Amino acid sequence: GCYVMALYLRGREFALYRSDNLLDWTAFQRLCLEDDDECPDFYPLECEDERYWVLTAAHDHYLVGRFERGLFQPVQSPEKLHAGRSYAAQSCFGLANNRRVRFGWNRSNIPNMPFNGSMTTPQEMTLRRVGDAMKLCAYPAAEFDALRGEGRVGRDSLTLTGRANDIELTMPAEDGKTVTLFGLSIAYENGKLTANGEKLHVRAENGLLRLRIVQDVHAVEVYVNSGEATMLIEHRSDLF
């Protein structure tokens, strides 16, 4: 029965405010999100027919919790969704079926342009239970699929020539396995994907990793297991 706003204060500290009229605001709770700062986002998501609230910050650490006795109560320890160049993601509400879609700031450098970076692929946000924890997942929104053109299927190697590609692949979760894309190596080792200095903790399913890779002329987005973990890598190929 009220409006709630998340606000960054200082250090690792955030505050929640409430209002009845969107004009007058009262702080009612302070929260700490370790290893993160700036640009909070705060929104509800359903998981197994229960409503939870998610607090994220600029570097994509997040808390999942419920409102109890008027306060936001985290139900698990903080997690981190992504590695790499994405920053300050913010979501949109009011979409059909209560969908929550967000854009991040892709801080990859784009030479000779009068702007700083670009936006990430639009990502639909969901909560998924994995073991004893809930994972915040980000995956390209369904509308993004409409941009696809010619499709190709291959095994072990595939020739790609487009300036941008949307790739779905499955690879063994075996140490030393590598995917090479226009000179960029994405390697798996000891439960981590590594690319261009970025490292991402990932979870294998039945000994496999399911990847979706969105490659543009200045950056590569990697989504693991339908968005359980994501990575955004600055990478420009000499082909372009």
Side-chain angles (χ1 to χ4, degrees):
C2 66
Y3 300 97
V4 176
M5 173 175 65
L7 187 69
Y8 172 62
L9 299 178
R10 64 186 68 82
R12 306 303 188 195
E13 195 173 23
F14 298 80
L16 297 180
Y17 286 72
R18 67 162 52 93
S19 173
D20 294 324
N21 58 13
L22 288 177
L23 297 174
D24 304 299
W25 294 89
T26 302
F28 68 91
Q29 188 174 0
R30 292 196 175 195
L31 297 160
C32 182
L33 194 50
E34 291 295 335
D35 300 318
D36 221 322
D37 51 34
E38 297 189 334
C39 309
D41 198 8
F42 192 54
Y43 51 88
L45 286 175
E46 302 285 327
C47 182
E48 298 177 344
D49 297 323
E50 291 191 57
R51 169 178 272 204
Y52 296 89
W53 287 77
V54 177
L55 174 68
T56 66
H59 301 277
D60 247 3
H61 291 83
Y62 65 89
L63 284 170
V64 178
R66 293 190 182 97
F67 271 97
E68 297 176 0
R69 297 181 296 277
L71 296 177
F72 174 67
Q73 303 287 353
V75 296
Q76 61 189 40
S77 300
E79 298 271 358
K80 192 175 193 298
L81 174 60
H82 92 268
R85 305 288 295 173
S86 178
Y87 189 76
Q90 297 291 294
S91 64
C92 311
F93 69 96
L95 302 177
N97 299 318
N98 294 319
R99 296 169 63 210
R100 179 66 57 159
V101 174
R102 76 173 194 177
F103 291 86
W105 171 23
N106 179 347
R107 294 181 293 169
S108 301
N109 182 46
I110 305 177
N112 306 316
M113 292 294 175
F115 49 80
N116 188 347
S118 64
M119 307 308 290
T120 66
T121 298
Q123 302 164 346
E124 183 155 356
M125 309 306 294
T126 57
L127 272 181
R128 184 184 311 146
R129 190 172 294 280
V130 178
D132 295 330
M134 282 175 289
K135 292 286 188 182
L136 180 65
C137 301
Y139 201 65
E143 291 84 352
F144 185 72
D145 294 350
L147 300 177
R148 286 180 168 181
E150 176 190 359
R152 300 183 185 181
V153 178
R155 182 183 179 91
D156 296 331
S157 65
L158 187 66
T159 299
L160 300 174
T161 57
R163 288 175 58 84
N165 293 282
D166 186 2
I167 303 160
E168 297 185 46
L169 65 88
T170 301
M171 64 181 284
E174 300 172 359
D175 288 354
K177 286 293 183 181
T178 301
V179 175
T180 303
L181 176 69
F182 295 119
L184 174 70
S185 292
I186 304 172
Y188 178 81
E189 195 82 33
N190 296 325
K192 296 179 183 178
L193 281 183
T194 302
N196 201 18
E198 304 292 349
K199 294 184 178 181
L200 181 68
H201 290 275
V202 296
R203 181 182 66 90
E205 293 182 325
N206 299 318
L208 299 172
L209 292 176
R210 293 179 294 109
L211 307 183
R212 183 168 178 180
I213 302 173
V214 179
Q215 169 259 325
D216 207 342
V217 296
H218 64 283
V220 175
E221 297 176 8
V222 181
Y223 299 87
V224 185
N225 296 339
S226 300
E228 277 182 19
T230 73
M231 180 162 54
L232 193 155
I233 310 135
E234 182 173 331
H235 176 69
R236 286 181 299 279
S237 169
D238 293 337
L239 294 175
F240 307 126

